[in-house]
Amino acid sequence: VVDVEVKCLECGAVIPLPDDVMVGEIITCPDCGQDYEVWDLNGEEAVIRPAELEGEDWGE
Amino acid sequence: MKVALFYDRIRYEEKSLAKALSEAGVKLELQDAKRLELRPEEQLDFDISLIRCVSHFRGLYLAAFLNSVGMETVNRFEVLHVAGDKLLCSLALYRSGVPAPEFSVAFTPESALRCVESIGYPAVLKPVVGSWGRLVSLVGDSLSAKAVLEHRETLGGPLHRIYYVQRYVAKPRRDIRVIVVGDCVVAAAYRYAPEDDWRTNVARGGKMVALEPSEELCDIALRAAEAVGGGVLGVDVLEGPEGLLVNEVNPTVEFRGISAATGVDVAMYVAEYVLGVVRC
């Protein structure tokens, strides 16, 4: 991955990406708490999108 | 060998499983269930699938599709279907003679209240589908039972109108989580309820402490796993006054907490199991 960080789509804060980041992982904005799903790591910039909200059927 | 790991979000568990499968030498394909478009006539290019969706229904219907077109999955559709529904799971345990708390079911709030009164207070009301202790209610008297039932009625969704009632088991402030992989118990730990809750779910702040499983615990956990169809399962066991009781069986088991508490590499056992299923 090229990027080591992304910008929060909500508040603009910098969100660091973990070293072993994977597509599908959830990252949280350290400033506003918004959760994002890492959507694409193939391009020059990492793509994130707001994570799905917890559903009633979520769990084990 | 090619293994597909289906997910809808990558948590500790999926990362560990991906690592364990890759280290086992398989060609691994990570598949985001949210992006799938499945058509039965299209050929699938892998040997087995690991279903790891956090959304129960997404994983359930995905397994239904894959099994129907001849693709083996861990776990299989029937297992996700039975273990993923608290009533179906209790019925499977009952049929198999596995000790479990007394339960009943009703289809209206009025009948549900009679079930609660008959089972006695405190009683436990649970949604048939759901996890992490969500909406699991301990009702101590008829007023609180009525309130919970009224709320359930207004929540919407047909499954909220299936009223599952369970006898509350007087137990220590803990239960036991056992991870079963195939016909082996690979890890077991106590789950202690947090100070401000009666539920022991790790998602609710429950704390895990490793334990050395007794023969009795292994036996009841393996029987419970077999009762729901077997595979990779998290069996929850209560220490009742008269012995061990199986509370629930979880078909898409999380193991971050138990791996940390016990030091057991659960993902490695699951990877070995998946490879074993293909080789059989």
Side-chain angles (χ1 to χ4, degrees), chain B residues 27 30-31 35 50 54 83 89 124 175 185 190 234 247 254:
Chain B
K27 192 163 173 358
L30 291 167
Q31 293 260 1
R35 307 190 210 204
L50 191 52
V54 72
C89 184
V124 182
D175 65 5
V185 167
Y190 291 116
N247 188 26
E254 294 171 311

Side-chain angles (χ1 to χ4, degrees), chain B residues 71-93:
Chain B
M71 172 64 57
E72 191 65 54
T73 57
V74 173
N75 290 318
R76 293 186 56 77
F77 165 76
E78 291 81 6
V79 178
L80 293 166
H81 180 53
V82 172
D85 181 301
K86 291 175 179 45
L87 177 62
L88 300 184
C89 184
S90 288
L91 291 169
L93 296 173

Side-chain angles (χ1 to χ4, degrees), chain A residues 60, chain B residues 93 98 175-181 185 187-189 191 217-218 220-226 228 232-238 245-251 253 258:
Chain A
E60 297 189 80
Chain B
L93 296 173
V98 179
D175 65 5
I176 299 170
R177 164 60 60 91
V178 183
I179 307 267
V180 174
V181 178
V185 167
R191 299 191 306 180
L217 180 61
C218 290
I220 198 172
L222 291 171
R223 284 171 63 201
E226 191 184 353
V228 301
V232 176
L233 298 155
V235 182
D236 293 341
V237 179
L238 307 175
L245 301 166
V246 173
N247 188 26
E248 292 178 7
V249 183
N250 299 276
V253 63
I258 203 164

Side-chain angles (χ1 to χ4, degrees), chain B residues 46-202:
Chain B
F46 35 84
D47 301 298
I48 189 167
S49 301
L50 191 52
I51 309 283
R52 288 293 315 176
C53 293
V54 72
S55 158
H56 167 67
F57 285 112
R58 197 178 267 151
L60 180 72
Y61 286 98
L62 174 57
F65 183 96
L66 294 171
N67 291 168
S68 294
V69 298
M71 172 64 57
E72 191 65 54
T73 57
V74 173
N75 290 318
R76 293 186 56 77
F77 165 76
E78 291 81 6
V79 178
L80 293 166
H81 180 53
V82 172
D85 181 301
K86 291 175 179 45
L87 177 62
L88 300 184
C89 184
S90 288
L91 291 169
L93 296 173
Y94 182 78
R95 274 198 310 275
S96 300
V98 179
E102 182 186 342
F103 69 97
S104 52
V105 63
F107 306 108
T108 61
E110 298 76 24
S111 312
L113 185 61
R114 286 197 293 275
C115 280
V116 170
E117 305 263 325
S118 151
I119 227 160
Y121 294 105
V124 182
L125 276 162
K126 295 181 177 181
V128 285
V129 170
S131 210
W132 301 337
R134 187 187 303 108
L135 298 177
V136 173
S137 308
L138 182 63
V139 292
D141 54 41
S142 68
L143 287 178
S144 54
K146 281 178 189 166
V148 168
L149 293 168
E150 198 177 314
H151 284 129
R152 282 277 294 277
E153 222 187 342
T154 57
L155 276 175
L159 288 175
H160 283 305
R161 275 132 175 119
I162 310 299
Y163 300 94
Y164 173 94
V165 182
Q166 193 184 52
R167 180 187 291 281
Y168 176 72
V169 175
K171 57 179 175 55
R173 286 190 60 81
R174 68 184 187 199
D175 65 5
I176 299 170
R177 164 60 60 91
V178 183
I179 307 267
V180 174
V181 178
D183 54 8
C184 297
V185 167
V186 303
Y190 291 116
R191 299 191 306 180
Y192 285 87
E195 287 298 317
D196 59 350
D197 208 327
W198 66 283
R199 296 168 294 184
T200 57
N201 307 78
V202 174

Side-chain angles (χ1 to χ4, degrees), chain A residues 18 20-26 35 37-40 49 51-60, chain B residues 7 9-10 15 30 32 34-35 54-58 130-132 134 160 177 250-254:
Chain A
D20 60 347
V21 66
M22 288 171 69
V23 169
E25 199 168 340
I26 304 301
D35 284 335
E37 177 176 353
V38 178
W39 192 248
D40 191 354
R49 67 174 211 172
E52 280 191 302
L53 294 176
E54 182 178 326
E56 258 184 59
D57 69 331
W58 279 26
E60 297 189 80
Chain B
Y7 69 91
R9 55 167 54 193
I10 297 283
K15 267 193 168 176
L30 291 167
D32 182 353
K34 303 190 297 302
R35 307 190 210 204
V54 72
S55 158
H56 167 67
F57 285 112
R58 197 178 267 151
S131 210
W132 301 337
R134 187 187 303 108
H160 283 305
R177 164 60 60 91
N250 299 276
T252 315
V253 63
E254 294 171 311

